Amino acid sequence: MRILLWHVHGSWTTAFVQGPHTYVVPVTPDRGPDGLGRARTWDWPDSVVEVPPERLRDEEIDVVVLQRPHELALVDRWLGRRPPLVYLEHNAPDGNVPDTRHPAAEIPGVTLVHVTHFNRLMWDTGNTPATVIEHGIVDPGHLWTGELPRAAVVVNEPLRRGRTVGTDLLPAFARAAPLDVFGMKTEGLADHLGVPDGHCRSHELGQRDLHTAMARRRLYLHPVRWTSLGLSLLEAMHLGMPVVALATTEVTEAVPPGAGVVSNQIDVLQDAVRDFVADPLHARMVGEGARAAALAHYGLSRFLDDWERLLKEVAR
């Protein structure tokens, strides 16, 4: 099949394009949000092809994967027709939860796909057919060394996103162990939080360097209150990192007993951070449990098989 989708979430798309199809991604001269083209920081196969919007009418497209509400108008304008539609929802709802109406509920003939069962539960999708295809990860390998007695945190724009991603909780965790916060626009975070630089360092790295850097830290800390299930959490588990996380959204499903400590009690989580930092052998054993759980539940082959079944059904 030839599948049209926009390059919106690089990590998710990296897994999706490992399938057996041709993946058409729009590209514009400015490589803006609606024409980003191929990824430059992830390894994508040659089956991902860039096509300018003005040439899309001449392309054979079997299925369109929408990810944002305005993309349907782009389909109408750029293709002049509507192939079978899938709407992939990456996020948990905002606004008047649990009464937030999903935009795909208004699109005739669309199949809505959520990435977590929690998201499906919380979105109001009306009578629109909805299903769940959980995340899959391209396995980065068991890279954990834990040589640095610090906690890794991965979050983009923590200053703007604030309480949603648990930025306000970082000073409490920095008292349990020094933090390394990886992500876009993390500079100045320590000053903003009033935490000494050595207790909260900011880093912005590419994907390959990020995995190696994360794996040198003793544990992975996930202080997020309200987002969809972060791929960085699943990547950390694949790396063999023990996890300390808030028990919110889908985390309790993703991190089973033996893979880390999940709680909404901050003192319990602080103690877990201290324990992992103080006991590298314990951290290693729990990290191995985290990796085994991630491979079993969020492996790439299961993810691709789930999508293959859905795409064939939708294309028919």
Side-chain angles (χ1 to χ4, degrees):
M1 281 187 275
R2 293 177 65 82
I3 300 168
L4 172 67
L5 76 159
W6 279 259
H7 175 185
V8 176
H9 293 280
S11 293
W12 180 90
T13 310
T14 297
F16 184 68
V17 300
Q18 305 303 314
H21 306 292
T22 298
Y23 304 90
V24 178
V25 293
V27 62
T28 55
D30 64 348
R31 291 189 176 267
D34 291 332
L36 195 56
R38 286 176 54 93
R40 299 183 177 185
T41 56
W42 286 275
D43 291 326
W44 285 7
D46 293 338
S47 56
V48 183
V49 296
E50 296 180 340
V51 177
E54 62 271 15
R55 284 177 38 204
L56 282 173
R57 285 178 181 263
D58 300 325
E59 292 287 323
E60 292 186 10
I61 301 296
D62 298 297
V63 176
V64 178
V65 177
L66 306 169
Q67 299 170 79
R68 298 168 296 177
H70 74 277
E71 289 175 354
L72 184 60
L74 296 179
V75 169
D76 292 342
R77 187 163 74 249
W78 292 354
L79 272 70
R81 62 191 187 281
R82 287 191 182 182
L85 301 173
V86 172
Y87 194 111
L88 171 65
E89 179 53 68
H90 292 275
N91 299 314
D94 290 325
N96 187 25
V97 180
D99 296 320
T100 310
R101 184 79 164 177
H102 196 279
E106 312 304 329
I107 303 175
V110 72
T111 298
L112 177 59
V113 178
H114 295 286
V115 296
T116 72
H117 293 278
F118 178 88
N119 290 359
R120 181 183 184 181
L121 179 69
M122 299 305 289
W123 277 106
D124 173 11
T125 58
N127 295 321
T128 298
T131 188
V132 177
I133 297 181
E134 296 181 279
H135 286 302
I137 300 292
V138 178
D139 183 14
H142 191 176
L143 304 182
W144 182 88
T145 65
E147 63 203 76
L148 300 179
R150 303 176 66 90
V153 181
V154 179
V155 60
N156 290 325
E157 301 187 67
L159 298 180
R160 180 183 65 83
R161 298 169 73 193
R163 286 178 55 84
T164 298
V165 295
T167 303
D168 61 300
L169 302 176
L170 295 181
F173 287 116
R175 292 193 290 272
L179 310 178
D180 285 301
V181 182
F182 299 92
M184 295 183 294
K185 298 184 179 180
T186 56
E187 63 277 1
L189 180 60
D191 287 343
H192 176 82
L193 296 175
V195 176
D197 286 342
H199 289 264
C200 184
R201 296 174 179 166
S202 297
H203 311 266
E204 187 168 346
L205 302 174
Q207 191 77 352
R208 293 175 186 169
D209 293 336
L210 173 62
H211 286 157
T212 302
M214 287 171 62
R216 295 182 64 207
R217 275 66 188 176
R218 188 68 48 83
L219 69 133
Y220 182 77
L221 172 64
H222 192 66
V224 175
R225 281 190 177 91
W226 186 264
T227 70
S228 190
L229 183 61
L231 285 172
S232 58
L233 170 66
L234 303 181
E235 289 167 352
M237 293 172 68
H238 274 78
L239 292 169
M241 302 183 73
V243 170
V244 175
L246 296 184
T248 56
T249 62
E250 191 82 354
V251 171
T252 54
E253 299 285 339
V255 185
V261 177
V262 177
S263 175
N264 286 328
Q265 299 181 54
I266 300 302
D267 56 342
V268 170
L269 299 176
Q270 287 176 306
D271 287 344
V273 170
R274 294 187 184 99
D275 289 345
F276 286 131
V277 167
D279 191 342
L281 179 59
H282 175 52
R284 175 182 292 278
M285 293 176 61
V286 174
E288 289 173 353
R291 175 168 168 78
L295 288 172
H297 200 133
Y298 299 102
L300 185 64
S301 60
R302 188 275 310 154
F303 171 80
L304 293 176
D305 287 347
D306 288 352
W307 270 104
E308 189 67 9
R309 283 191 291 271
L310 179 77
L311 290 169
K312 287 180 178 178
E313 179 181 335
V314 169
R316 284 200 297 266

mmCIF file of all heavy atoms in Angstrom, residues 5 36-37 48 61 68 87 111 128 133 163 169 193 208-209 216 261 281-282 312:
data_model
loop_
_atom_site.group_PDB
_atom_site.id
_atom_site.type_symbol
_atom_site.label_atom_id
_atom_site.label_comp_id
_atom_site.label_asym_id
_atom_site.label_seq_id
_atom_site.Cartn_x
_atom_site.Cartn_y
_atom_site.Cartn_z
ATOM 1 N N LEU A 5 0.945 10.211 5.160
ATOM 2 C CA LEU A 5 0.892 10.736 6.523
ATOM 3 C C LEU A 5 1.862 11.895 6.645
ATOM 4 O O LEU A 5 2.828 11.994 5.887
ATOM 5 C CB LEU A 5 1.211 9.664 7.564
ATOM 6 C CG LEU A 5 2.672 9.236 7.758
ATOM 7 C CD1 LEU A 5 2.847 8.593 9.127
ATOM 8 C CD2 LEU A 5 3.130 8.265 6.674
ATOM 9 N N LEU A 36 7.165 18.822 6.610
ATOM 10 C CA LEU A 36 8.469 18.592 7.236
ATOM 11 C C LEU A 36 9.308 17.588 6.469
ATOM 12 O O LEU A 36 10.539 17.592 6.552
ATOM 13 C CB LEU A 36 8.255 18.117 8.678
ATOM 14 C CG LEU A 36 9.430 18.152 9.636
ATOM 15 C CD1 LEU A 36 10.022 19.542 9.725
ATOM 16 C CD2 LEU A 36 8.992 17.665 11.019
ATOM 17 N N GLY A 37 8.659 16.715 5.704
ATOM 18 C CA GLY A 37 9.401 15.725 4.937
ATOM 19 C C GLY A 37 9.991 14.626 5.808
ATOM 20 O O GLY A 37 9.526 14.356 6.917
ATOM 21 N N VAL A 48 10.168 5.563 2.749
ATOM 22 C CA VAL A 48 9.553 6.852 3.089
ATOM 23 C C VAL A 48 9.955 7.856 2.005
ATOM 24 O O VAL A 48 11.138 8.166 1.850
ATOM 25 C CB VAL A 48 10.004 7.352 4.469
ATOM 26 C CG1 VAL A 48 9.283 8.654 4.812
ATOM 27 C CG2 VAL A 48 9.755 6.304 5.537
ATOM 28 N N ILE A 61 -2.751 6.863 -3.619
ATOM 29 C CA ILE A 61 -2.768 6.784 -2.157
ATOM 30 C C ILE A 61 -3.870 5.820 -1.743
ATOM 31 O O ILE A 61 -5.032 6.000 -2.110
ATOM 32 C CB ILE A 61 -3.007 8.169 -1.523
ATOM 33 C CG1 ILE A 61 -1.915 9.158 -1.939
ATOM 34 C CG2 ILE A 61 -3.078 8.043 0.010
ATOM 35 C CD1 ILE A 61 -0.525 8.811 -1.472
ATOM 36 N N ARG A 68 -3.857 15.394 12.918
ATOM 37 C CA ARG A 68 -4.259 16.709 13.416
ATOM 38 C C ARG A 68 -5.551 17.110 12.707
ATOM 39 O O ARG A 68 -5.763 16.750 11.546
ATOM 40 C CB ARG A 68 -3.163 17.747 13.134
ATOM 41 C CG ARG A 68 -1.834 17.456 13.828
ATOM 42 C CD ARG A 68 -0.713 18.336 13.289
ATOM 43 N NE ARG A 68 -0.453 18.040 11.880
ATOM 44 C CZ ARG A 68 0.437 18.702 11.124
ATOM 45 N NH1 ARG A 68 1.132 19.706 11.652
ATOM 46 N NH2 ARG A 68 0.619 18.364 9.859
ATOM 47 N N TYR A 87 -7.681 8.173 11.600
ATOM 48 C CA TYR A 87 -7.253 9.310 12.426
ATOM 49 C C TYR A 87 -6.513 8.741 13.631
ATOM 50 O O TYR A 87 -7.096 8.062 14.469
ATOM 51 C CB TYR A 87 -8.448 10.151 12.884
ATOM 52 C CG TYR A 87 -8.051 11.512 13.451
ATOM 53 C CD1 TYR A 87 -8.356 12.687 12.784
ATOM 54 C CD2 TYR A 87 -7.350 11.599 14.658
ATOM 55 C CE1 TYR A 87 -7.988 13.928 13.301
ATOM 56 C CE2 TYR A 87 -6.972 12.836 15.176
ATOM 57 C CZ TYR A 87 -7.292 13.994 14.482
ATOM 58 O OH TYR A 87 -6.925 15.209 14.994
ATOM 59 N N THR A 111 -11.781 5.903 10.723
ATOM 60 C CA THR A 111 -11.494 4.980 11.818
ATOM 61 C C THR A 111 -10.525 5.673 12.761
ATOM 62 O O THR A 111 -9.469 6.143 12.330
ATOM 63 C CB THR A 111 -10.863 3.673 11.302
ATOM 64 O OG1 THR A 111 -11.794 3.026 10.429
ATOM 65 C CG2 THR A 111 -10.524 2.742 12.459
ATOM 66 N N THR A 128 -18.194 7.261 16.351
ATOM 67 C CA THR A 128 -17.069 6.969 15.463
ATOM 68 C C THR A 128 -16.383 5.679 15.894
ATOM 69 O O THR A 128 -16.058 5.520 17.080
ATOM 70 C CB THR A 128 -16.053 8.126 15.487
ATOM 71 O OG1 THR A 128 -16.689 9.310 15.006
ATOM 72 C CG2 THR A 128 -14.844 7.812 14.612
ATOM 73 N N ILE A 133 -4.217 0.889 19.213
ATOM 74 C CA ILE A 133 -2.978 0.204 18.825
ATOM 75 C C ILE A 133 -1.881 0.800 19.678
ATOM 76 O O ILE A 133 -1.489 1.960 19.495
ATOM 77 C CB ILE A 133 -2.671 0.355 17.329
ATOM 78 C CG1 ILE A 133 -3.770 -0.290 16.494
ATOM 79 C CG2 ILE A 133 -1.307 -0.285 17.009
ATOM 80 C CD1 ILE A 133 -3.542 -0.223 14.999
ATOM 81 N N ARG A 163 3.042 22.305 35.041
ATOM 82 C CA ARG A 163 2.474 21.260 35.880
ATOM 83 C C ARG A 163 2.051 20.028 35.078
ATOM 84 O O ARG A 163 2.070 18.909 35.595
ATOM 85 C CB ARG A 163 1.269 21.808 36.650
ATOM 86 C CG ARG A 163 1.639 22.734 37.796
ATOM 87 C CD ARG A 163 0.383 23.274 38.488
ATOM 88 N NE ARG A 163 -0.507 22.217 38.953
ATOM 89 C CZ ARG A 163 -0.377 21.582 40.117
ATOM 90 N NH1 ARG A 163 0.621 21.901 40.930
ATOM 91 N NH2 ARG A 163 -1.240 20.655 40.472
ATOM 92 N N LEU A 169 7.537 19.521 40.179
ATOM 93 C CA LEU A 169 7.946 18.457 41.092
ATOM 94 C C LEU A 169 9.456 18.217 41.081
ATOM 95 O O LEU A 169 9.986 17.531 41.959
ATOM 96 C CB LEU A 169 7.241 17.145 40.717
ATOM 97 C CG LEU A 169 5.713 17.178 40.713
ATOM 98 C CD1 LEU A 169 5.163 15.845 40.236
ATOM 99 C CD2 LEU A 169 5.178 17.518 42.096
ATOM 100 N N LEU A 193 13.764 27.025 38.531
ATOM 101 C CA LEU A 193 13.265 26.247 39.654
ATOM 102 C C LEU A 193 13.956 26.585 40.967
ATOM 103 O O LEU A 193 13.528 26.122 42.029
ATOM 104 C CB LEU A 193 13.439 24.751 39.372
ATOM 105 C CG LEU A 193 12.646 24.194 38.188
ATOM 106 C CD1 LEU A 193 13.020 22.736 37.957
ATOM 107 C CD2 LEU A 193 11.145 24.329 38.419
ATOM 108 N N ARG A 208 20.129 9.411 18.795
ATOM 109 C CA ARG A 208 21.149 8.403 19.066
ATOM 110 C C ARG A 208 21.947 8.769 20.313
ATOM 111 O O ARG A 208 22.177 7.923 21.194
ATOM 112 C CB ARG A 208 22.084 8.278 17.865
ATOM 113 C CG ARG A 208 21.432 7.716 16.614
ATOM 114 C CD ARG A 208 22.407 7.745 15.456
ATOM 115 N NE ARG A 208 21.760 7.341 14.210
ATOM 116 C CZ ARG A 208 22.324 7.479 13.025
ATOM 117 N NH1 ARG A 208 23.525 8.003 12.909
ATOM 118 N NH2 ARG A 208 21.689 7.075 11.935
ATOM 119 N N ASP A 209 22.372 10.004 20.380
ATOM 120 C CA ASP A 209 23.141 10.440 21.548
ATOM 121 C C ASP A 209 22.288 10.418 22.809
ATOM 122 O O ASP A 209 22.793 10.150 23.900
ATOM 123 C CB ASP A 209 23.702 11.851 21.314
ATOM 124 C CG ASP A 209 24.747 11.889 20.212
ATOM 125 O OD1 ASP A 209 25.362 10.841 19.946
ATOM 126 O OD2 ASP A 209 24.935 12.961 19.617
ATOM 127 N N ARG A 216 23.468 5.994 30.715
ATOM 128 C CA ARG A 216 24.564 6.171 31.673
ATOM 129 C C ARG A 216 24.037 6.599 33.035
ATOM 130 O O ARG A 216 24.754 6.511 34.031
ATOM 131 C CB ARG A 216 25.567 7.200 31.151
ATOM 132 C CG ARG A 216 26.297 6.799 29.888
ATOM 133 C CD ARG A 216 27.302 7.867 29.491
ATOM 134 N NE ARG A 216 28.349 8.004 30.506
ATOM 135 C CZ ARG A 216 29.034 9.117 30.722
ATOM 136 N NH1 ARG A 216 28.752 10.234 30.042
ATOM 137 N NH2 ARG A 216 29.972 9.151 31.658
ATOM 138 N N VAL A 261 9.157 1.707 40.303
ATOM 139 C CA VAL A 261 8.261 2.129 41.372
ATOM 140 C C VAL A 261 7.290 3.157 40.800
ATOM 141 O O VAL A 261 7.708 4.184 40.255
ATOM 142 C CB VAL A 261 9.050 2.727 42.556
ATOM 143 C CG1 VAL A 261 8.092 3.242 43.628
ATOM 144 C CG2 VAL A 261 9.991 1.683 43.138
ATOM 145 N N LEU A 281 23.310 -2.488 41.944
ATOM 146 C CA LEU A 281 22.899 -3.852 41.625
ATOM 147 C C LEU A 281 21.379 -3.962 41.605
ATOM 148 O O LEU A 281 20.797 -4.599 40.710
ATOM 149 C CB LEU A 281 23.493 -4.826 42.639
ATOM 150 C CG LEU A 281 23.115 -6.303 42.425
ATOM 151 C CD1 LEU A 281 23.578 -6.777 41.045
ATOM 152 C CD2 LEU A 281 23.726 -7.173 43.528
ATOM 153 N N HIS A 282 20.729 -3.350 42.584
ATOM 154 C CA HIS A 282 19.266 -3.329 42.610
ATOM 155 C C HIS A 282 18.728 -2.619 41.376
ATOM 156 O O HIS A 282 17.767 -3.090 40.732
ATOM 157 C CB HIS A 282 18.795 -2.628 43.881
ATOM 158 C CG HIS A 282 17.319 -2.436 43.982
ATOM 159 N ND1 HIS A 282 16.411 -3.460 43.827
ATOM 160 C CD2 HIS A 282 16.570 -1.305 44.202
ATOM 161 C CE1 HIS A 282 15.177 -2.992 43.957
ATOM 162 N NE2 HIS A 282 15.254 -1.695 44.178
ATOM 163 N N LYS A 312 -5.215 -3.091 6.359
ATOM 164 C CA LYS A 312 -5.876 -3.949 5.369
ATOM 165 C C LYS A 312 -7.383 -3.846 5.490
ATOM 166 O O LYS A 312 -8.097 -3.784 4.465
ATOM 167 C CB LYS A 312 -5.420 -5.387 5.559
ATOM 168 C CG LYS A 312 -3.992 -5.653 5.100
ATOM 169 C CD LYS A 312 -3.602 -7.102 5.324
ATOM 170 C CE LYS A 312 -2.196 -7.378 4.812
ATOM 171 N NZ LYS A 312 -1.770 -8.781 5.063
#
